[in-house]
């Protein structure tokens, strides 16, 4: 596969232009030195013949200093009129290209080795560990204002960098700012950010004479309350108690100024765009300006930075104004076809998404995009890898691509498209990528090499699924919220599966085919895909087979002995549902889903299908897991009932890990 980005990380050597460096006696090659070393030599302070190494987080530059027979001169250091002398430092090579007023401050400079007066050999310098300085802003009354409603007003006359932990909104009132590739101006609305420390924190950079207001996030509380259900959601945010003000309501975000502001036992990492990425992003933006509908195909192995690079590219494409700050944002489309680590859906789902604003949050903070942004079309492949059925995976991807080509007005060109692919690049995975490239014919194929920076912490599939099923969309404000109530305490939807007005056509299994008699036990407590059938051809001839009534519950099962899949051209995913119980007496399934009922009911008028059509009613009588009609007691998945003096059976007690394993 062609490598359009080249090697993602190389040992770069910086050459100071305009200064005649003496050649080394041992070699005729050009002397390589850092800007700092060259400045020292220019000022006459380089009097030794030593070799030292300047180390940055990404690159090691070897610097050769030549011997100077002339005595050293003492030249006063130059000072910046706008900044103290202690802030005159060099910019790390792995930072985004930003104006001089925005560059980082506080980086330490490696000390110069000195010669021993007796032996004439270099004495190792005393290296002090650098204390990270996250935000360059020094808060005082003129540049930092805390408002009673929790908002923070920041004035940055010199341009600053801000590292913020938590959930917040960014509103630029004057000047210009950038965050995670997005360029923000006063014409833009408030952009909402979720920044937990389990992922790299985006850095907010401001230009000179910029005024920024940070807002508390209205959805922060619900997302944090998910820690009651899963400890993986806990201790991810600005959970440091306010010192001395116990009655003060905690803010949803915290600006990190020094290491003391970081939560204990937390390895914090900032979102970094290396120089190679910045160069490639600029080239891709230039392609967008030259062509009408560019298609960018991102591929590469796992942990090579595909997801991070794709988010930066999407934000740059959306906010690109081609040099005109007054120009409105243009939407883009994202083809999210990594079922194992999707960005815009739960695991096992691939989607075509239209983005109208930058993506400034991890995947588990937006498991679906309604109603702020839209998912144009999606498919469930019933697996987290294309290996289960590669042909069906390719079919689904090409159907989404066809939708992208045809879902825009005839008189307009489609928006730019970014395709994020799985990290399977060997063997059959390489064949899948090759077939997709041949069919899609992208404008640019970007291959992320293994030498690129690793992604921080990938979104866990469990967190993504839990966040999805606890999601809710209020009418106002138009932001997603989360309900921390356990799923076992939520009222399920009752879906009738018997009679002429049943709620779905039947259950269709792809790979494993359960026996009809155990279908109820197989799907009870299981996650199923709710698929809308748009035409009978979607069933590939299976519609001619009468659905079987499985077991005593008589759940309709569509016989699929050879494991056929639905045709993605005539079907689409509505959402995922969790089967909470099977009520055989009433002939109903009790399901939980975050999908709006308008989506389900709206599909009934256009015809039913597998998991769509018929009667959907809310279980309002509280009998969802009790006794159904006929006196049959309904078992609840994951729950064991014990009555009276009954005890647990052998092997049913809670197993505890022995702490003395391996000891004598």
């Amino acid at each position: 596969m062609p490598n359009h980005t080249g090697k993602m990380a190389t040992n770069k050597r910086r050459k100071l232009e305009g200064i005649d460096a003496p050649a080394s006696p041992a070699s005729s090659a050009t002397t390589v030195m850092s800007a700092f070393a060259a400045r020292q030599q220019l000022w006459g302070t380089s009097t030794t013949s030593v070799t030292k190494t300047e180390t940055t987080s990404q690159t090691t530059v070897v610097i050769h200093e030549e011997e100077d027979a002339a005595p050293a001169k003492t030249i006063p250091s130059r000072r910046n009129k706008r900044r103290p002398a202690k802030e005159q430092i060099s910019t790390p090579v792995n930072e985004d290209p930003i104006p001089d007023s925005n560059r980082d401050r506080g980086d330490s400079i490696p000390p110069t080795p000195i010669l021993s007066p007796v032996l004439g050999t270099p004495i190792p310098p005393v290296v002090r560990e650098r204390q990270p300085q996250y935000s360059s802003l020094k808060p005082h009354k003129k540049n930092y204002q805390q408002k009673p409603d929790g908002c923070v007003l920041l004035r940055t006359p010199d341009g600053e960098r801000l590292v913020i932990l938590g959930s917040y909104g960014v509103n630029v009132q004057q000047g210009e700012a950038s965050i995670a590739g997005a360029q923000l101006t006063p014409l833009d609305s408030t952009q909402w950010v979720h920044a937990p420390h389990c992922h790299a924190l985006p850095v907010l950079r401001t230009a000179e004479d910029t005024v920024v207001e940070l807002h508390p996030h209205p959805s922060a509380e619900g997302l944090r309350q998910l820690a009651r259900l899963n400890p993986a959601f806990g201790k991810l945010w600005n959970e440091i108690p306010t010192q001395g003000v116990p009655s003060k309501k905690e803010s949803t975000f915290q600006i990190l100024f020094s290491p003391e502001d970081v939560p204990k036992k937390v390895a914090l990492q900032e979102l970094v765009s290396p120089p190679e990425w910045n160069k490639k992003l600029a080239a891709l933006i230039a392609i967008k300006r030259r062509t009408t509908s560019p298609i960018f195909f991102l591929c590469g192995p796992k942990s090579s930075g595909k997801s991070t690079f794709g988010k930066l590219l999407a934000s740059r494409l959306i906010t690109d104004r081609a040099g005109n700050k007054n120009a409105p944002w243009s939407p883009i489309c994202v083809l999210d076809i990594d079922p194992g680590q999707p960005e815009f859906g739960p695991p096992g789902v691939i989607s075509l998404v239209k983005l109208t604003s930058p993506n400034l949050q991890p995947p588990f903070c937006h498991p679906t995009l309604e109603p702020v942004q839209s998912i144009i079309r999606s498919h469930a492949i019933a697996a987290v890898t294309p290996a289960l059925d590669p042909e069906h995976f390719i079919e689904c991807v090409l159907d989404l691509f066809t939708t992208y080509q045809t879902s825009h007005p005839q008189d307009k060109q489609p928006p730019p498209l970014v395709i994020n692919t799985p990290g399977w690049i060997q063997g059959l995975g390489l064949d899948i990528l090759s077939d997709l490239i041949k069919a899609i014919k992208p404008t640019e194929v970007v291959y992320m090499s293994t030498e690129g920076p690793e992604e921080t912490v990938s979104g866990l599939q469990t967190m993504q699924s839990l966040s999805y099923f606890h999601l809710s969309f209020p009418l106002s404000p138009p932001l997603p919220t989360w309900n921390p109530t356990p799923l076992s305490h939520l009222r399920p939807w009752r879906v009738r599966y018997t009679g002429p007005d049943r709620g779905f056509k039947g259950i269709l299994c792809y790979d494993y085919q359960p026996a009809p008699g155990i279908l109820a036990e197989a799907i009870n407590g299981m996650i199923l895909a709710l698929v809308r059938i748009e035409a009978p051809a979607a069933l590939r001839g299976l519609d001619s087979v009468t659905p079987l009534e499985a077991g005593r519950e008589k759940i309709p099962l569509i016989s699929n002995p050879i494991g056929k899949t639905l045709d993605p051209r005539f079907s689409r995913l509505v959402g995922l549902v969790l089967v909470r119980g099977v009520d055989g007496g009433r002939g109903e399934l009790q399901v939980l889903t975050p999908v709006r009922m308008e989506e389900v009911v709206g599909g009934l008028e256009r015809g039913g299908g597998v998991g769509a059509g018929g009667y959907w009613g809310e279980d309002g009588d509280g009998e969802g897991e009790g006794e159904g009609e006929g006196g049959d007691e309904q078992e609840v998945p994951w729950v064991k009932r014990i009555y009276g003096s009954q005890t647990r059976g052998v092997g049913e007690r809670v197993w505890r890990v022995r702490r003395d394993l391996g000891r004598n």
Side-chain angles (χ1 to χ4, degrees):
M1 186 175 298
N3 188 333
H4 289 259
T5 60
K7 205 171 185 180
M8 295 301 298
T10 58
N11 288 338
K12 300 177 290 299
R13 297 174 179 266
R14 298 178 291 175
K15 178 181 178 182
L16 188 67
E17 299 294 342
I19 296 179
D20 296 331
S24 173
S27 174
S28 60
T30 303
T31 302
V32 180
M33 62 180 63
S34 69
F36 173 75
R39 186 165 58 248
Q40 293 291 90
Q41 187 183 65
L42 181 63
W43 293 346
T45 57
S46 299
T47 59
T48 61
S49 177
V50 298
T51 299
K52 67 181 181 179
T53 302
E54 175 188 0
T55 303
T56 66
S57 60
Q58 291 276 340
T59 309
T60 300
V61 184
V62 180
I63 306 166
H64 301 281
E65 295 189 358
E66 298 300 326
E67 182 175 354
D68 191 352
K73 300 179 181 180
T74 303
I75 298 180
S77 61
R78 295 177 296 181
R79 296 177 179 264
N80 191 310
K81 295 181 179 180
R82 306 188 64 166
R83 297 179 180 174
K86 64 180 181 180
E87 296 181 353
Q88 301 302 311
I89 49 85
S90 59
T91 305
V93 298
N94 64 340
E95 289 290 348
D96 295 336
I98 54 178
D100 291 342
S101 59
N102 293 11
R103 291 180 178 173
D104 302 347
R105 286 170 277 180
D107 293 347
S108 60
I109 300 174
T112 304
I114 60 177
L115 294 179
S116 168
V118 179
L119 301 178
T121 57
I123 298 177
V126 178
V127 179
R128 293 177 297 177
E129 183 179 357
R130 176 191 171 190
Q131 295 295 328
Q133 190 72 21
Y134 297 104
S135 298
S136 61
L137 180 71
K138 304 298 188 253
H140 50 76
K141 294 182 179 180
K142 293 184 179 181
N143 64 5
Y144 186 96
Q145 180 182 356
Q146 178 80 43
K147 296 185 177 181
D149 58 356
C151 296
V152 175
L153 187 66
L154 303 174
R155 303 180 184 275
T156 59
D158 295 337
E160 306 287 352
R161 72 188 308 270
L162 300 165
V163 180
I164 307 173
L165 176 64
S167 304
Y168 55 96
V170 180
N171 182 263
V172 179
Q173 298 184 353
Q174 176 183 320
E176 185 177 2
S178 66
I179 180 171
Q183 303 293 328
L184 308 179
T185 68
L187 297 178
D188 305 323
S189 60
T190 301
Q191 298 301 309
W192 299 101
V193 185
H194 283 296
H197 61 68
C198 61
H199 287 65
L201 300 183
V203 179
L204 176 63
R205 292 180 171 87
T206 63
E208 293 183 355
D209 300 324
T210 297
V211 179
V212 176
E213 189 172 36
L214 304 178
H215 298 264
H217 203 300
S219 302
E221 183 178 0
L223 187 59
R224 286 156 172 74
Q225 289 178 350
L226 294 182
R228 302 176 183 176
L229 308 175
N230 190 335
F233 287 87
K235 299 182 179 179
L236 298 180
W237 315 92
N238 54 311
E239 294 155 332
I240 301 177
T242 304
Q243 300 294 336
V245 191
S247 60
K248 181 180 178 181
K249 184 178 180 180
E250 300 297 335
S251 175
T252 64
F253 64 91
Q254 177 187 6
I255 302 177
L256 304 180
F257 296 103
S258 64
E260 287 73 18
D261 299 327
V262 180
K264 302 299 182 183
K265 301 181 180 180
V266 170
L268 212 59
Q269 186 173 356
E270 298 177 7
L271 181 60
V272 172
S273 180
E276 295 88 352
W277 287 22
N278 296 326
K279 182 178 179 180
K280 190 61 184 179
L281 288 171
L284 297 180
I285 293 296
I287 292 177
K288 174 204 171 184
R289 297 174 181 175
R290 292 196 306 265
T291 60
T292 52
S293 302
I295 299 175
F296 306 113
F297 192 95
L298 309 183
C299 56
K302 294 181 179 179
S303 298
S304 61
K306 291 192 308 299
S307 300
T308 303
F309 185 84
K311 293 173 70 171
L312 294 175
L313 175 60
S315 296
R316 289 281 294 271
L317 291 172
I318 292 175
T319 59
D320 177 52
R321 294 177 170 88
N324 184 5
K325 295 183 179 180
N326 297 325
W329 286 354
S330 59
I332 70 164
C333 288
V334 176
L335 191 53
D336 189 15
I337 59 174
D338 185 357
Q341 188 181 336
E343 181 70 30
F344 302 108
V349 173
I350 60 176
S351 308
L352 175 64
V353 177
K354 182 179 180 181
L355 291 180
T356 58
S357 62
N359 178 19
L360 305 176
Q361 46 198 325
F364 71 87
C365 296
H366 56 84
T368 186
L369 293 181
E370 298 175 345
V372 181
Q373 297 159 317
S374 60
I375 293 182
I376 300 176
R377 189 177 180 86
S378 58
H379 295 298
I381 66 171
V384 295
T385 173
L388 181 64
D389 194 336
E391 294 182 358
H392 182 238
F393 175 78
I394 294 177
E395 271 189 323
C396 293
V397 173
L398 295 183
D399 174 72
L400 296 177
F401 179 69
T402 302
T403 303
Y404 158 76
Q405 293 178 310
T406 59
S407 61
H408 60 280
Q410 297 297 330
D411 58 339
K412 295 183 179 180
Q413 294 289 339
L417 177 65
V418 178
I419 305 176
N420 187 29
T421 61
W424 187 21
I425 61 169
Q426 296 180 348
L428 183 57
L430 180 59
D431 295 338
I432 293 175
L433 295 177
S434 300
D435 292 344
L436 292 179
I437 292 175
K438 292 178 181 178
I440 295 176
K441 297 180 175 62
T443 308
E444 185 88 357
V445 176
V446 181
Y447 180 81
M448 310 293 294
S449 79
T450 55
E451 296 181 5
E454 294 187 0
E455 297 174 271
T456 52
V457 180
S458 60
L460 299 177
Q461 296 178 6
T462 302
M463 296 181 67
Q464 187 82 336
S465 299
L466 191 148
S467 175
Y468 177 80
F469 281 102
H470 286 270
L471 195 63
S472 61
F473 289 102
L475 297 179
S476 180
L479 289 175
T481 58
W482 285 265
N483 184 358
T485 305
L487 297 181
S488 58
H489 287 69
L490 295 178
R491 290 181 176 180
W493 288 92
R494 296 159 48 190
V495 186
R496 186 177 298 122
Y497 60 77
T498 59
D501 58 344
R502 63 175 181 261
F504 58 93
K505 185 178 182 66
I507 304 294
L508 177 66
C509 301
Y510 278 179
D511 187 21
Y512 172 74
Q513 302 296 319
I518 63 172
L519 180 61
E521 289 77 7
I523 66 173
N524 197 5
M526 193 175 185
I527 296 177
L528 305 181
L530 181 63
V531 180
R532 178 178 299 155
I533 301 301
E534 298 174 335
L539 292 170
R540 305 183 193 266
L542 295 177
D543 55 341
S544 60
V545 180
T546 304
L548 303 175
E549 293 183 351
R552 63 185 181 90
E553 292 84 4
K554 299 182 179 180
I555 303 175
L557 172 65
I558 299 178
S559 179
N560 189 17
I562 60 176
K564 288 186 177 181
T565 58
L566 295 174
D567 193 330
R569 297 173 298 174
F570 309 106
S571 62
R572 59 174 298 181
L573 176 70
V574 177
L576 302 184
V577 299
L578 173 62
V579 181
R580 180 180 164 183
V582 180
D583 193 334
R586 292 178 175 176
E588 295 175 349
L589 294 183
Q590 299 162 1
V591 300
L592 298 170
T593 179
V595 179
R596 294 176 179 270
M597 285 303 104
E598 294 82 1
E599 288 289 324
V600 179
V601 177
L604 307 184
E605 301 175 356
R606 294 186 290 271
V610 179
Y615 166 81
W616 283 67
E618 188 174 3
D619 184 8
D621 54 8
E623 297 181 359
E625 65 244 15
E627 296 182 357
E629 295 180 4
D632 294 336
E633 189 176 68
Q634 183 65 28
E635 292 291 338
V636 181
W638 327 295
V639 176
K640 171 70 175 179
R641 296 192 179 188
I642 298 178
Y643 300 94
S645 59
Q646 181 182 358
T647 59
R648 298 178 183 269
V650 178
E652 294 182 354
R653 297 182 179 180
V654 178
W655 287 36
R656 302 184 184 278
V657 179
R658 291 181 55 185
R659 302 300 181 186
D660 59 345
L661 295 178
R663 298 180 181 177
N664 295 328

